[in-house]
Amino acid sequence: MTSPIPLVDLGLQHGEIADEVREGWDALLESKAFVLGPPVTAFEEAFARYSGVSHCAGVANGTDALELSLRALGVGSGDEVVLPANTFIATALAVARAGATPVLVDCDPDTQLMDMDAAGERMGRKTAAFLPVHLFGQMAPVERLAEAGVPVVEDAAQSQGARRNDRPSGSVGLIAATSFYPGKNLGAYGDAGAVVTDDDELAARVKALRNYGSERKYDHPEMGFNSRLDALQAVVLSAKLRRLDAWNEQRRAAAALYSELLADLDQVRTPVTLDGNQHVWHLYVVRVPGRDEVLERLNADGVGAGVHYPRPIHLQGAFAHLGHREGDFPETERAATEILSLPMYPGISPDQQEQVVEGLRRALA
Ligand SMILES: Cc1ncc(COP(=O)(O)O)c(C=O)c1O
């Protein structure tokens, strides 16, 4: 009898940093710098450096990071933001929460990243920003939007450590938002997120917006939010950031092994990496026929496979008011019925991966 294999195993990472986190938390309890104190600043400086930009503002979660990035740019009511239909719902929620209208586009059939030609075609008078998503751990080819003269906001929630043409995730747009939800490549022990940018003014605006719209205590020139990165989470994130490259390397090795083990399974389409991309394999997503049944069989076999995401944004009740119908984004809809995320995390063993692939072989038989 083999043991179950989870989709993500966070315990392995914790084992490596447990002592450091405990020491950091003890020091924090001693100092009582619970809100925007030295641990938050230290993490912000380290993550800005890691992202190849000059500023980082830690915020409460990735959805807020996106919303505050858009608001800092002045995006709001009457504006349109172009984003992929194939993403987690938070990308679109952030646009709506900023008061703008999400304009959805289909995805590339090979990578499931936003179709950049379609994005360019949807640009119009009201387009205030492009919001490409670096889905599953590889960066979208955003350089193709550079000519348009419209700000690019990166959704970098799934791409910490990824690079495109040697530029780090978070450094190719005007501003970028990321999530440190626990299962992310750089995950906190609760909700957390950040905005990174090279632009001094945008960084200052995000820092004010996250702090009740205030740069100086009790002075509020505009309305803001309470959305600050928690200091306890900053301690965890600093400890994990030091190990992120090594953990991403382990993900890359695991992805290479999956592709090798799956090579003779003709029914399985393995993921495609775009030229110029250094992938960080937040998720290893294959495509299979009869996905729902395959998923059920795998789960019953103790393999924690999952689906990211089973229902595209334009078919969600939350966005029914956009007036889309089934058939509007055929590549996204096809992907939603075929994609299957296999267990992927630093420390997954070759034996476990063989067990996953054997399970998949049985499920497809
Ligand atoms: C692509 C994408 N965008 C945005 C978010 C939102 O981040 P959060 O859950 O931290 O609000 C997530 C993750 O949850 C995500 O995967």
Side-chain angles (χ1 to χ4, degrees):
M1 181 69 191
T2 44
S3 8
I5 301 165
L7 182 62
V8 176
D9 184 345
L10 299 177
L12 293 171
Q13 290 181 19
H14 180 64
E16 285 189 44
I17 61 167
D19 290 345
E20 210 175 309
V21 169
R22 235 167 254 134
E23 274 168 34
W25 281 358
D26 281 348
L28 184 60
L29 293 176
E30 205 57 44
S31 74
K32 301 171 190 65
F34 296 125
V35 177
L36 294 184
V40 173
T41 309
F43 173 70
E44 287 176 335
E45 286 172 3
F47 193 65
R49 241 187 340 270
Y50 185 81
S51 305
V53 296
S54 40
H55 305 283
C56 168
V59 298
N61 56 67
T63 313
D64 284 5
L66 285 163
E67 180 184 351
L68 268 47
S69 298
L70 292 165
R71 286 183 180 271
L73 278 166
V75 175
S77 173
D79 291 330
E80 293 181 350
V81 175
V82 178
L83 71 148
N86 188 41
T87 178
F88 181 57
I89 193 147
T91 318
L93 288 177
V95 174
R97 275 182 19 183
T101 303
V103 173
L104 302 173
V105 296
D106 210 350
C107 67
D108 175 89
D110 293 328
T111 59
Q112 287 108 62
L113 294 164
M114 181 162 83
D115 178 334
M116 294 298 159
D117 293 332
E121 282 159 21
R122 290 309 308 271
M123 194 181 135
R125 223 171 16 87
K126 295 183 183 168
T127 309
F130 286 112
L131 181 42
V133 180
H134 303 322
L135 203 64
F136 304 154
Q138 74 170 323
M139 290 173 66
V142 300
E143 66 280 1
R144 293 181 51 195
L145 299 170
E147 307 278 280
V150 166
V152 172
V153 180
E154 297 168 66
D155 182 336
Q158 301 189 3
S159 57
Q160 292 114 2
R163 288 177 168 260
R164 174 156 184 77
N165 300 327
D166 227 24
R167 292 184 64 184
S169 160
S171 71
V172 296
L174 184 53
I175 190 165
T178 194
S179 162
F180 303 125
Y181 179 79
K184 300 297 194 234
N185 287 40
L186 181 60
Y189 287 174
D191 281 309
V195 175
V196 291
T197 181
D198 240 347
D199 187 297
D200 300 349
E201 212 172 300
L202 286 175
R205 279 191 53 70
V206 171
K207 286 190 174 176
L209 285 169
R210 73 172 175 183
N211 197 34
Y212 320 107
S214 167
E215 283 184 45
R216 265 178 308 138
K217 204 161 186 181
Y218 304 130
D219 181 26
H220 305 271
E222 64 176 331
M223 289 218 245
F225 302 82
N226 177 353
S227 179
R228 299 168 298 212
L229 173 63
D230 192 277
L232 288 161
Q233 302 302 345
V235 168
V236 175
L237 291 167
S238 287
K240 284 195 171 183
L241 184 59
R242 283 189 273 281
R243 292 155 175 92
L244 182 58
D245 284 340
W247 285 340
N248 281 341
E249 202 47 56
Q250 291 177 30
R251 288 176 185 268
R252 268 193 283 278
L257 180 58
Y258 267 140
S259 297
E260 201 182 303
L261 294 170
L262 291 166
D264 70 328
L265 264 175
D266 292 343
Q267 294 147 285
V268 178
R269 268 171 76 187
T270 51
V272 172
T273 302
L274 275 186
D275 275 353
N277 267 357
Q278 191 168 19
H279 206 311
V280 290
W281 302 102
H282 173 57
L283 294 166
Y284 186 89
V285 179
V286 297
R287 294 176 71 151
V288 291
R291 192 275 319 282
D292 287 343
E293 209 175 311
V294 171
L295 176 66
E296 214 171 284
R297 286 187 188 170
L298 271 176
N299 289 165
D301 225 3
V303 174
V307 176
H308 302 84
Y309 300 91
R311 187 195 295 261
I313 302 228
H314 65 291
L315 302 178
Q316 296 282 357
F319 287 102
H321 61 279
L322 296 179
H324 287 295
R325 279 195 303 253
E326 219 171 306
D328 280 357
F329 303 114
E331 294 300 343
T332 299
E333 289 168 30
R334 194 167 308 129
T337 64
E338 296 177 2
I339 47 175
L340 181 70
S341 307
L342 301 183
M344 169 56 80
Y345 45 88
I348 188 170
S349 72
D351 281 353
Q352 287 175 309
Q353 290 191 259
E354 276 174 29
Q355 199 180 315
V356 171
V357 173
E358 282 318 304
L360 188 53
R361 207 180 286 281
R362 279 192 298 274
L364 283 162

